[in-house]
Amino acid sequence: MPERVIPLADQRYAAAVPRIPESTPPPTGRVIDRLGRPLRDLRISVTDRCNFRCSYCMPKELFGKDYAFLPHSSLLSFEEITRLTRLFVAHGVGKIRLTGGEPLLRKNVEELVAQLSTLRTPEGKPLDLTLTTNGSLLARKAQALKDAGLARVTVSLDALDDMVFRRMNDVDFPVADVLRAIDRAMEVGLGPVKVNMVVKRGTNDHEIVRMARHFRGSGAVLRFIEYMDVGASNGWRMDEVLPSKEVIARLQAEFGLEPLQAQAVGETAQRWRYMDGAGEIGVISSVTQAFCRDCNRARLSTEGKLFLCLFATRGHDLRALLRGGCSDEQISAAIAPIWQQRDDRYSELRSALPREHDADAAAPKRVEMHYIGG
Ligand code: SF4
């Protein structure tokens, strides 16, 4: 099929330019994928580094102290991220989530937040700027992030017990410091803070009720995430997944809960509220109740590759276009057809996929979560 040629000022990047069928007219404005899903959310990984070693994302055995992270020169600069984001906004993006690795490890990340906070949707609205963090640096940075224009934060916390927490993230970091950071984030107005707990059967599921009891009435929204087969490194097994149905059953046994409506199309969490008014919780059930049909999320890796699914095996190199001297029009004309051709729905297909695929060294590997963010 004839392909559209994207003229590059700097041919060193030619090999990485996304292939776009000639027949796809360069669209402007909002774009819809092959399953009728509009592009709405952009998750931007600002670093592949992290100071935790969560077993479901960056197991220490594989990401040890000698692990070679990306050199700084290959990371997108704040200016490059902002330029690309502006082009995505023109195609319908209204919500940005900054992720990593651990995004607060990226030096002066609040400057990026400040740049992104100047962008407006075609209707003139500010972007919904959010960030997901492990909380280790949040207490120190919360005020600066808020002042720079960040709207909300999501903090990962997999247990209240320090031993269990350590078993999940393989570092010696006190839970108390993460709890202090959550309080600080709420103090400065980065709430309602969402707290994400990845539940691994046999490791931390006995902490579910205790976590709920701790955050009830706090104003924070606790979400329980089913353990997922992200990347190719976490040794995922189905028998370590605790279905959300069981999480809700355990909580129902302690507290009266009732389901709530979704707040937006494409929301990943199913919301439940405590019937005594003590707030709400959520469950994110990618394994047992896939939510691909409304998935409107694109992901930008820390070195400028566009991924269309958390479980993708390949990305589209937009950095090559940026550094290859392309104009905004040319880059925008490259982004749109990539989304339009999207038909990803991995979680819906997961159970039909042969697991041997994972053991097959020749098979394309799913991208690592620390590289594109959750
Ligand atoms: S599996 Fe992929 S397509 Fe489905 S919800 Fe997750 S990111 Fe979206």
Side-chain angles (χ1 to χ4, degrees):
M1 180 190 294
E3 290 170 352
R4 184 154 7 106
V5 178
I6 299 185
L8 284 187
D10 185 336
Q11 286 303 317
R12 281 177 300 161
Y13 298 96
V17 170
R19 324 309 281 176
I20 299 170
E22 184 60 65
S23 60
T24 316
T28 53
R30 294 179 187 287
V31 285
I32 308 277
D33 75 8
R34 284 202 182 156
L35 304 182
R37 303 167 294 187
L39 171 55
R40 284 259 168 77
D41 284 22
L42 181 63
R43 298 187 172 196
I44 304 172
S45 168
V46 296
T47 179
D48 61 338
R49 293 167 191 263
C50 188
N51 51 354
F52 283 13
R53 287 293 178 274
C54 301
S55 58
Y56 50 84
C57 175
M58 274 178 106
K60 199 182 236 176
E61 308 73 48
L62 297 169
F63 300 92
K65 59 179 177 27
D66 308 323
Y67 181 79
F69 288 102
L70 293 166
H72 191 77
S73 59
S74 71
L75 307 191
L76 291 186
S77 68
F78 293 166
E79 291 66 29
E80 287 174 324
I81 292 174
T82 305
R83 183 178 169 203
L84 276 181
T85 305
R86 186 164 40 75
L87 300 174
F88 276 96
V89 169
H91 284 307
V93 164
K95 180 176 175 185
I96 302 292
R97 179 169 295 283
L98 299 179
T99 65
E102 169 48 43
L104 300 185
L105 283 175
R106 179 86 185 245
K107 207 160 165 247
N108 305 326
V109 72
E110 57 276 13
E111 286 172 18
L112 171 62
V113 173
Q115 287 185 26
L116 295 173
S117 71
T118 63
L119 299 180
R120 293 287 176 272
T121 67
E123 300 76 26
K125 283 198 224 131
L127 300 180
D128 182 11
L129 280 183
T130 66
L131 179 144
T132 299
T133 170
N134 63 24
S136 56
L137 302 165
L138 180 59
R140 218 184 310 159
K141 290 241 174 193
Q143 188 65 63
L145 291 166
K146 178 67 185 172
D147 296 346
L150 192 71
R152 295 185 311 284
V153 286
T154 296
V155 180
S156 308
L157 180 64
D158 298 328
L160 288 173
D161 177 281
D162 277 319
M163 293 279 286
V164 180
F165 188 51
R166 197 172 306 136
R167 234 180 292 140
M168 290 294 285
N169 63 37
D170 238 340
V171 289
D172 242 342
F173 193 87
V175 169
D177 288 6
V178 179
L179 295 175
R180 250 193 300 282
I182 293 171
D183 292 343
R184 179 71 187 136
M186 296 225 257
E187 261 167 42
V188 305
L190 286 173
V193 171
K194 291 180 177 163
V195 178
N196 283 357
M197 175 186 183
V198 172
V199 178
K200 208 172 167 183
R201 190 196 284 274
T203 305
N204 67 339
D205 62 298
H206 58 287
E207 291 256 298
I208 289 170
V209 172
R210 188 175 168 207
M211 286 278 281
R213 197 163 273 128
H214 178 89
F215 286 106
R216 264 166 55 79
S218 70
V221 178
L222 177 59
R223 291 115 58 89
F224 302 94
I225 303 181
E226 287 181 344
Y227 170 42
M228 294 181 281
D229 51 337
V230 285
S233 312
N234 66 9
W236 183 83
R237 296 199 333 255
M238 187 61 198
D239 61 7
E240 290 185 301
V241 174
L242 187 80
S244 293
K245 233 191 189 140
E246 216 174 304
V247 171
I248 294 296
R250 291 189 192 186
L251 295 172
Q252 279 285 29
E254 296 286 331
F255 324 100
L257 285 171
E258 64 183 3
L260 285 171
Q261 291 299 318
Q263 282 167 318
V265 176
E267 191 170 25
T268 54
Q270 290 158 338
R271 302 166 60 224
W272 293 75
R273 77 171 203 68
Y274 293 109
M275 288 159 76
D276 64 0
E280 69 175 81
I281 57 127
V283 286
I284 299 176
S285 325
S286 163
V287 179
T288 62
Q289 296 162 57
F291 38 79
C292 304
R293 76 187 169 288
D294 294 325
C295 178
N296 51 25
R297 291 172 289 283
R299 290 173 168 83
L300 193 61
S301 77
T302 192
E303 56 183 355
K305 285 209 176 102
L306 173 59
F307 288 85
L308 302 176
C309 174
L310 177 58
F311 302 92
T313 54
R314 76 181 184 97
H316 305 264
D317 190 343
L318 300 183
R319 186 188 62 188
L321 305 182
L322 286 168
R323 296 187 182 174
C326 285
S327 68
D328 283 354
E329 292 68 34
Q330 289 166 326
I331 300 174
S332 176
I335 291 171
I338 294 171
W339 182 266
Q340 287 181 311
Q341 293 159 33
R342 175 189 187 236
D343 59 2
D344 297 67
R345 53 192 188 96
Y346 176 89
S347 286
E348 284 179 0
L349 303 172
R350 177 190 282 109
S351 53
L353 293 171
R355 296 316 311 173
E356 300 73 47
H357 180 91
D358 290 358
D360 174 357
K365 295 284 172 251
R366 290 184 295 278
V367 64
E368 294 297 341
M369 189 156 77
H370 75 98
Y371 176 71
I372 58 165

